[in-house]
Amino acid sequence: MPSVSGQSSTRVRPLASVLFAAMLLVTWTAVDAQEQRRRPGERAERDSAVETQPTPSERSVSDTPAAPKEDASARPDPALQPAVERRRPGAEAPVPSATPTSERRRPATDGPARDASAGARPAVERRRPGQSEAATPTATGERPGPQSPVRDRQPFDFNAATGLQPVAKPPRDANYAKETVRNERWYLTQRLGISDYPWWDPYNQNTLKADRPIFGDWFFNTLLVSDTQYEPRRLPTPVAPQGEGAPGNFDLIGDGDQTLFAQNLVGSFVLYRGDTTFMPPDWEFRFTPIYNFNYAEVEQNRAVRINPARGRERSDNFFAVQELFIDYHIRDVSTQYDFDSVRFGIQPFNVDFRGFLFRDQQFGLRFFGNRRNNVVLYNIAWFRRLEKDTNSELNDIGQSLRDDDVFVFNLYWQDMPRLGFTSQAVVLYNRNTEGENAPFFNNNGFIERPASIGLEKPRSYDVVYLGYNGEGHFGRVNLSASSYLALGSADRGVFVDRETDISAFFGAAEVSVDFDWRRIRLSALYASGDDDPYDDAENGFDAVFENPLFAGADTSFWVRQNVPLIGGGVVTLSGRNGILNSLRSSKAQGQSNFTNPGLLLLGIGADLDLTPQWRVSTNINQLAFADTAVLEAARQQADIDPMIGTDASIAFIWRPYFTQNIVFRASAAALLPGDGFKQLYGDEVAYSALFNLTLLW
């Protein structure tokens, strides 16, 4: 029995044969009709005064007499027949030429054609109908019409109606002078009534958004931001030495439920001069003030203030200046607008792509620019660190500058080692001499410098960071990588009262692949830990001021929260918005500490763009200490397991109008404790939630 596919093939073959034959017939018919439309011989133009004979197809059968057969040998040669004079309607009859018609010549030749008796066919003189003499083609190959002067074809001029004259193409190395901006062109549409929009409309032409100059070629840009945060959380909280009011609170760790609220009102005002379409501004003045209100409610005494009599609630407000600088465009160094600029004042700066080493807004002097058509970029900067407010962690310009200097040089090289990947080299020198100062206490009464761990003695240090960072993609694979080597010395160790050498390493990488609206990420991070806190070497890696965008960033519990080290000093394992286990008093006001347990992180995450309005991000990170020797020395507790636990988080981001003007984010994170975390804090699950509303104008 034949198969179904065999029967189908048998039925299809005759049908295909019929279709193929029909296609051949249609093609042959079309070709034959085309041949029938062709008329043999040459005809005179329509409406010509020359009388022409009808073609055989135009004669009727009855009007055509039967003609005898003609001998082909007696037929005259068509080349020897007199030429038919053709002319356009209304043109005058040509003057008879003295040259016999038999002496025809070819165009652009002077002599007559060769005699037909010699076996050569005489050349036929070509000319337009109604033209008395044959016209010689011009250099462009054009033959002029009847009674028209012979001239070369002129190219079409697009500016003929405007009267503009053509301008020669400038050479590649030409220097371009800056043109003066005319105010009339910015206000033209407004004066015509086309773009007269209200001042509060940021989506259309607005003077407050630098769409028009305020005077001359000076522009003013305004940015207003409202940032609201509500954050319930639970994390390990120590019981106060003074005891608690409720019975049963005699353990080392108490109730860790806490509630935080913060409201930030930000205004950024920029005055600059110059057209910034292709190059930076000539001058820029920026001022960014922030007003902060924060509130905290806890369940344990001394969690918010050192004085337990002040209760378990704290409300505070602070006015800060996060940016206040002047930027001057020194020069352009190429026709591609490569430039050199200088910036002085309180300014934002990020050493690397992900904020692992130094990402802050500090007072300093910075030279920056680019070369090779923006392929190579550089920064040379010096910063003197500002003091921070304790509760808002914003700049406090009311206090004197810290004795903490940061010198930075970094170089970006785009498309290195291949197209689509940017490499960066970093050299940073951090010189801290705060060991010569008196102890420093924060606004809540807790000691910040020196840190309350180990000897609790003032210390100074000098550290050089050598780093390489890369960001980009190799085909479909996205890669972000960072590595640092910290080398230096300190005049006193954390646990030993003598000079120590600093040698630490850091490395992190994130690999991701996009699948349409999904991005899958794999993360890995290693920060070396100190294996012996009592020797002369400090091997734990610490940054200057980290603010990492890595492994979930502030969605992650370990990155977002500051987990205290209970029973070993008034320090934290990891600072707020920090990932390193640095054992500092705080990230904002404390010193770097290179005697720490380090960190090992392995994670997986996903970013899901469900719609243009909705995004979901998830992360699962496995955390461990690189070395627990420092924890064992601080806690006087042996054999602490290195496993911290599993940090799982999820975040929902909603943009109702598809823009960044209104953004609502809700996230939740939990730390499932590992054996090491249980030995330090017990088996209670720590968690945090964050509800954040951002309004931008």
Side-chain angles (χ1 to χ4, degrees):
M1 181 176 179
S3 62
V4 176
S5 61
Q7 294 176 358
S8 301
S9 176
T10 305
R11 291 194 297 267
V12 169
R13 288 172 183 171
L15 179 60
S17 302
V18 172
L19 292 175
F20 181 70
M23 292 173 60
L24 290 178
L25 179 61
V26 171
T27 304
W28 178 82
T29 305
V31 172
D32 182 68
Q34 181 69 20
E35 292 293 333
Q36 291 295 333
R37 284 194 294 269
R38 295 179 180 174
R39 297 181 179 181
E42 299 179 351
R43 295 185 57 193
E45 295 289 331
R46 290 183 303 171
D47 301 330
S48 174
V50 179
E51 184 178 349
T52 59
Q53 299 295 328
T55 61
S57 61
E58 295 174 344
R59 299 194 191 102
S60 63
V61 178
S62 60
D63 296 338
T64 306
K69 294 183 178 181
E70 182 181 3
D71 188 6
S73 60
R75 185 179 304 169
D77 189 354
L80 301 178
Q81 296 298 318
V84 179
E85 297 292 343
R86 299 173 183 173
R87 53 187 173 85
R88 296 184 182 274
E92 298 180 357
V95 179
S97 176
T99 304
T101 56
S102 59
E103 295 184 4
R104 297 173 182 172
R105 51 186 175 83
R106 296 181 181 275
T109 59
D110 297 333
R114 288 179 295 178
D115 192 353
S117 61
R121 183 174 179 178
V124 179
E125 184 176 316
R126 304 291 183 182
R127 50 190 172 84
R128 295 181 182 273
Q131 189 174 353
S132 58
E133 296 182 359
T136 303
T138 62
T140 59
E142 182 183 12
R143 295 177 182 271
Q147 301 178 354
S148 63
V150 179
R151 60 181 180 181
D152 294 335
R153 178 181 298 176
Q154 298 295 329
F156 181 74
D157 186 7
F158 294 93
N159 295 321
T162 63
L164 298 177
Q165 298 299 322
V167 178
K169 181 179 179 180
R172 183 176 181 83
D173 57 348
N175 293 324
Y176 300 94
K178 298 180 181 179
E179 296 181 358
T180 302
V181 180
R182 297 181 180 177
N183 293 338
E184 290 78 6
R185 66 187 180 108
W186 302 106
Y187 292 93
L188 181 61
T189 56
Q190 185 183 35
R191 292 173 180 174
L192 294 176
I194 301 175
S195 60
D196 191 9
Y197 301 105
W199 65 268
W200 44 262
D201 184 1
Y203 298 102
N204 293 293
Q205 198 173 31
N206 193 322
T207 305
L208 297 179
K209 286 295 183 179
D211 295 325
R212 292 186 292 259
I214 56 173
F215 58 87
D217 55 354
W218 287 87
F219 296 81
F220 185 76
N221 192 11
T222 305
L223 178 67
L224 302 177
V225 181
S226 171
D227 184 39
T228 307
Q229 301 177 15
Y230 175 73
E231 184 177 0
R233 65 181 184 178
R234 177 194 293 167
L235 68 161
T237 306
V239 174
Q242 292 83 358
E244 301 295 331
N249 290 334
F250 299 105
D251 200 356
L252 188 64
I253 300 175
D255 189 347
D257 291 338
Q258 302 178 5
T259 301
L260 305 179
F261 174 82
Q263 174 65 53
N264 292 303
L265 300 177
V266 185
S268 182
F269 308 99
V270 183
L271 177 66
Y272 67 89
R273 189 185 76 176
D275 190 352
T276 60
T277 305
F278 301 105
M279 57 185 179
D282 299 328
W283 289 90
E284 179 181 352
F285 301 88
R286 185 185 295 264
F287 174 56
T288 303
I290 296 180
Y291 173 77
N292 170 269
F293 172 81
N294 58 82
Y295 171 82
E297 181 180 354
V298 298
E299 299 297 329
Q300 300 294 139
N301 291 333
R302 287 192 63 184
V304 291
R305 290 188 177 94
I306 197 169
N307 185 1
R310 301 189 63 178
R312 303 175 184 176
E313 299 180 7
R314 183 194 66 211
S315 61
D316 192 14
N317 62 87
F318 187 73
F319 181 84
V321 176
Q322 291 300 101
E323 291 179 319
L324 181 61
F325 66 80
I326 177 174
D327 187 310
Y328 173 63
H329 181 74
I330 301 175
R331 60 173 182 168
D332 293 327
V333 296
S334 71
T335 56
Q336 287 79 30
Y337 295 109
D338 293 330
F339 68 93
D340 292 316
S341 291
V342 60
R343 180 176 294 179
F344 177 74
I346 304 174
Q347 54 189 287
F349 187 74
N350 186 11
V351 169
D352 52 51
F353 296 105
R354 295 301 183 101
F356 287 122
L357 186 59
F358 181 68
R359 182 182 176 210
D360 200 5
Q361 294 166 312
Q362 291 291 344
F363 173 80
L365 176 67
R366 174 186 167 209
F367 293 90
F368 61 99
N370 61 355
R371 293 295 186 274
R372 297 182 57 184
N373 197 14
N374 205 38
V375 172
V376 179
L377 301 91
Y378 73 90
N379 288 280
I380 302 175
W382 160 79
F383 296 98
R384 172 63 65 92
R385 296 183 62 189
L386 292 164
E387 200 66 74
K388 298 284 187 180
D389 176 64
T390 303
N391 299 321
S392 65
E393 296 189 349
L394 299 174
N395 292 334
D396 188 354
I397 61 175
Q399 299 192 45
S400 60
L401 297 175
R402 295 178 57 176
D403 293 330
D404 194 350
D405 295 296
V406 178
F407 302 87
V408 183
F409 171 74
N410 62 8
L411 184 72
Y412 296 84
W413 195 306
Q414 298 191 59
D415 300 329
M416 174 62 69
R418 62 170 297 175
L419 187 68
F421 193 83
T422 301
S423 294
Q424 183 212 44
V426 177
V427 179
L428 184 145
Y429 171 53
N430 183 205
R431 180 176 181 268
N432 184 288
T433 59
E434 293 176 321
E436 303 172 0
N437 301 337
F440 177 81
F441 295 84
N442 63 27
N443 296 340
N444 298 324
F446 298 99
I447 189 170
E448 291 283 356
R449 300 189 295 269
S452 179
I453 184 175
L455 299 177
E456 297 189 25
K457 289 187 176 182
R459 56 194 300 264
S460 301
Y461 52 85
D462 294 274
V463 184
V464 176
Y465 295 88
L466 305 176
Y468 170 80
N469 302 280
E471 187 91 9
H473 67 91
F474 294 88
R476 290 189 58 192
V477 179
N478 306 307
L479 174 63
S480 177
S482 293
S483 60
Y484 287 103
L485 179 64
L487 301 172
S489 62
D491 63 350
R492 180 182 289 112
V494 176
F495 288 87
V496 294
D497 194 5
R498 59 180 179 269
E499 185 176 347
T500 58
D501 295 326
I502 298 172
S503 177
F505 175 77
F506 171 87
E510 180 181 277
V511 180
S512 63
V513 180
D514 296 327
F515 301 93
D516 196 4
W517 50 275
R518 304 173 296 271
R519 168 172 285 192
I520 308 301
R521 294 179 279 104
L522 297 176
S523 305
L525 182 146
Y526 173 76
S528 63
D530 193 356
D531 58 351
D532 187 357
Y534 297 105
D535 61 6
D536 297 337
E538 299 185 60
N539 304 120
F541 184 86
D542 196 8
V544 179
F545 191 90
E546 59 168 332
N547 198 347
L549 301 174
F550 187 78
D554 59 353
T555 301
S556 165
F557 177 88
W558 198 256
V559 176
R560 177 73 179 177
Q561 305 304 329
N562 49 337
V563 180
L565 177 64
I566 301 175
V570 188
V571 293
T572 60
L573 270 178
S574 62
R576 188 167 178 83
N577 294 324
I579 199 171
L580 300 174
N581 296 327
S582 57
L583 296 182
R584 287 172 134 180
S585 55
S586 70
K587 185 187 75 172
Q589 295 180 297
Q591 293 176 289
S592 297
N593 178 19
F594 300 93
T595 303
N596 63 63
L599 177 67
L600 177 63
L601 179 149
L602 295 175
I604 184 173
D607 298 323
L608 311 176
D609 291 325
L610 304 180
T611 68
Q613 296 170 296
W614 284 95
R615 165 176 280 195
V616 178
S617 297
T618 61
N619 291 275
I620 299 177
N621 301 322
Q622 193 69 30
L623 304 168
F625 298 114
D627 199 297
T628 60
V630 177
L631 296 176
E632 294 171 359
R635 286 279 300 251
Q636 295 296 304
Q637 179 179 350
D639 300 328
I640 297 179
D641 193 88
M643 189 58 62
I644 299 174
T646 303
D647 183 356
S649 61
I650 185 171
F652 299 89
I653 301 175
W654 180 46
R655 305 183 307 160
Y657 296 103
F658 309 95
T659 65
Q660 298 298 114
N661 295 90
I662 301 178
V663 180
F664 178 77
R665 184 178 63 158
S667 64
L671 180 65
L672 308 178
D675 292 339
F677 193 87
K678 291 179 181 179
Q679 291 174 332
L680 295 173
Y681 306 105
D683 57 0
E684 189 174 47
V685 176
Y687 71 86
S688 67
L690 176 64
F691 302 93
N692 179 214
L693 175 63
T694 303
L695 306 176
L696 185 147
W697 184 84

